[in-house]
Amino acid sequence: MNGKIVAFCCENSAYPAADLAGKLGLHYSENLRIIRVPCAGRVDVIHILKALENGAAGVLVLGCEEGACRHITGNTRAKERVEYSSMLLREINLDGRVVAMFNLSPNAPHKFVKAVNDIGNITAEPGR
Amino acid sequence: MIIAERKPIEEIRLMMAPYKKILVAGCGTCVTVCWVGGEKEVGILASELRLARGAEGRELVTLEATVDRQCEKEMLAELRDKISDVEAVVSLACGAGVQTMAELFEDKPVFPAVNTTFIGMPEGEGLWVEMCGACGDCFLDRTGGICPVVRCAKGLLNGPCGGTRRGGKCEIDAEKDCAWVLIYRRLERQGRLDLMREYRAPKNYRAVKRPGRVQAAKA
């Protein structure tokens, strides 16, 4: 069984997209743990690191499409924090790819599933 | 305020390698403002150290604490219980904070997690620039409030070097303003250009005898 993936989902985009994926019966990893956040900008570096420390194999931050954030810059800030977290992991010789940010709209369930599968493929690589 | 930069994680990991239980201590003043040693950065460094240690298959226990000012013993005293419980301390304060901590808790090794770089001010988001060299012989009254000692790449006291680029930039670094162009424009704006003709004698760099010591006058 692959490790758990924690997905911080913006309640204005990724969370409804996940909901829609469920309604449509789309398949994605059963190891996913969704954490609903009011905005991707709420997710800070420490949340990402603590998720990994507590056993997550991968962390997704899913926010609104660029330019569509209800809180104006939440998604761009989230992206910067994800990139920073990834850099911190590389600094300590861990795989920075296990932390990723995706932008999607609430009516994009397939994109949600793809994001989950993409990171799932990385965390499932042999030798990890 | 005092500006600092985080040391490379590899250097901090090497310092912490012999220890199993450490305190990661932040400072709530200057290093918090320059995003390097406040409560948030304490959490991130502690987490990074634990993750790195975990990847080695060894455990690291970290306590975390941030005091208002690590350069004051009264404020550091509140860490006494936590420090008695750990083998070593890694401090994210400036050099003054690290040394105050090391002096107050002499039996514990205290390690710096940042390099203290200069006294400066924020110029933009996440960008700080040096403003003061703490030379102890201030003559900002004659330079329009702009210090050529640190803001001129050559520290010249009597006008620009002749290498000023078009647009008033420094010949050493085209991104930086020539301090003497800034001084000229400031004095011109204030109608004090006569100060440009004033000769400034070689600076007394011994004004502050190291280590510096200042006793405030008692009222």
Side-chain angles (χ1 to χ4, degrees):
Chain A
M1 180 176 153
N2 300 332
K4 280 181 191 163
I5 294 162
V6 171
F8 292 99
C9 292
C10 163
E11 68 179 14
N12 300 303
S13 56
Y15 195 78
D19 202 23
L20 201 51
K23 280 180 187 163
L24 293 173
L26 302 179
H27 178 77
Y28 56 86
S29 169
E30 66 275 19
N31 298 327
L32 186 71
R33 298 291 179 272
I34 290 176
I35 297 174
R36 179 177 178 169
V37 288
C39 173
R42 177 65 188 89
V43 182
D44 213 332
V45 175
I46 193 66
H47 301 131
I48 296 170
L49 294 181
K50 288 230 165 159
L52 294 169
E53 265 193 75
N54 287 310
V59 178
L60 278 175
V61 179
L62 303 175
C64 301
E65 292 284 4
E66 286 185 19
C69 175
R70 180 170 292 187
H71 305 284
I72 318 294
T73 55
N75 52 359
T76 48
R77 283 170 191 266
K79 188 176 179 188
E80 286 168 6
R81 289 169 189 158
V82 166
E83 284 168 0
Y84 184 71
S85 305
S86 182
M87 183 275 293
L88 291 178
L89 293 178
R90 290 194 302 275
E91 263 188 354
I92 53 175
N93 303 320
L94 298 178
D95 190 348
R97 297 175 303 155
V98 299
V99 178
M101 165 95 193
F102 287 91
N103 302 90
L104 67 170
S105 56
N107 60 355
H110 290 91
K111 198 167 178 182
F112 170 82
V113 170
K114 183 177 184 310
V116 175
N117 289 341
D118 282 356
I119 198 159
N121 290 337
I122 291 169
T123 59
E125 283 175 3
R128 293 186 55 82
Chain B
M1 66 181 171
I2 294 169
I3 310 300
E5 290 177 299
R6 238 281 297 276
K7 281 179 177 288
I9 188 70
E10 206 50 45
E11 194 178 334
I12 303 172
R13 281 178 67 189
L14 271 175
M15 290 189 275
M16 293 299 107
Y19 306 107
K20 291 177 184 159
K21 190 171 187 182
I22 62 167
L23 170 69
V24 183
C27 177
T29 310
C30 307
V31 291
T32 291
V33 181
C34 67
W35 305 0
V36 77
E39 195 173 352
K40 187 171 172 176
E41 291 77 22
V42 163
I44 291 171
L45 176 61
S47 183
E48 210 180 349
L49 288 171
R50 288 191 301 264
L51 277 167
R53 188 66 73 86
E56 294 169 2
R58 296 164 61 212
E59 194 194 12
L60 177 71
V61 177
T62 57
L63 305 186
E64 298 171 25
T66 302
V67 295
D68 284 346
R69 283 194 291 281
Q70 274 196 35
C71 54
E72 293 201 28
K73 288 182 181 172
E74 292 80 358
M75 294 179 179
L76 276 179
E78 65 189 68
L79 299 182
R80 195 172 296 280
D81 288 347
K82 280 187 172 168
I83 287 182
S84 65
D85 198 27
V86 297
E87 298 166 78
V89 180
V90 58
S91 166
L92 287 129
C94 70
V98 172
Q99 291 186 63
T100 310
M101 172 99 76
E103 190 174 310
L104 189 61
F105 304 107
E106 274 188 311
D107 56 335
K108 292 285 157 126
V110 180
F111 299 94
V114 305
N115 291 322
T116 310
T117 43
F118 55 77
I119 300 173
M121 71 157 202
E123 195 176 75
E125 193 181 343
L127 175 66
W128 292 269
V129 290
E130 186 169 13
M131 286 285 155
C132 175
C135 69
D137 182 23
C138 188
F139 66 107
L140 286 169
D141 56 313
R142 283 168 284 157
T143 57
I146 295 164
C147 179
V149 177
V150 293
R151 295 176 68 183
C152 165
K154 299 173 185 177
L156 298 179
L157 305 183
N158 286 288
C161 62
T164 311
R165 294 170 193 249
R166 193 174 289 275
K169 296 293 179 183
C170 174
E171 73 167 346
I172 304 290
D173 183 346
E175 294 289 308
K176 291 180 182 162
D177 293 318
C178 166
W180 277 102
V181 170
L182 295 178
I183 291 168
Y184 183 92
R185 288 182 181 150
R186 177 77 55 81
L187 292 175
E188 184 180 41
R189 188 185 172 113
Q190 295 176 354
R192 301 164 72 207
L193 271 179
D194 53 307
L195 285 170
M196 287 296 291
R197 295 201 173 275
E198 182 184 293
Y199 170 67
R200 295 166 194 85
K203 202 166 166 53
N204 177 14
Y205 283 101
R206 292 183 300 174
V208 177
K209 292 185 180 61
R210 304 293 176 195
R213 191 178 176 89
V214 173
Q215 170 69 60
K218 295 204 168 57

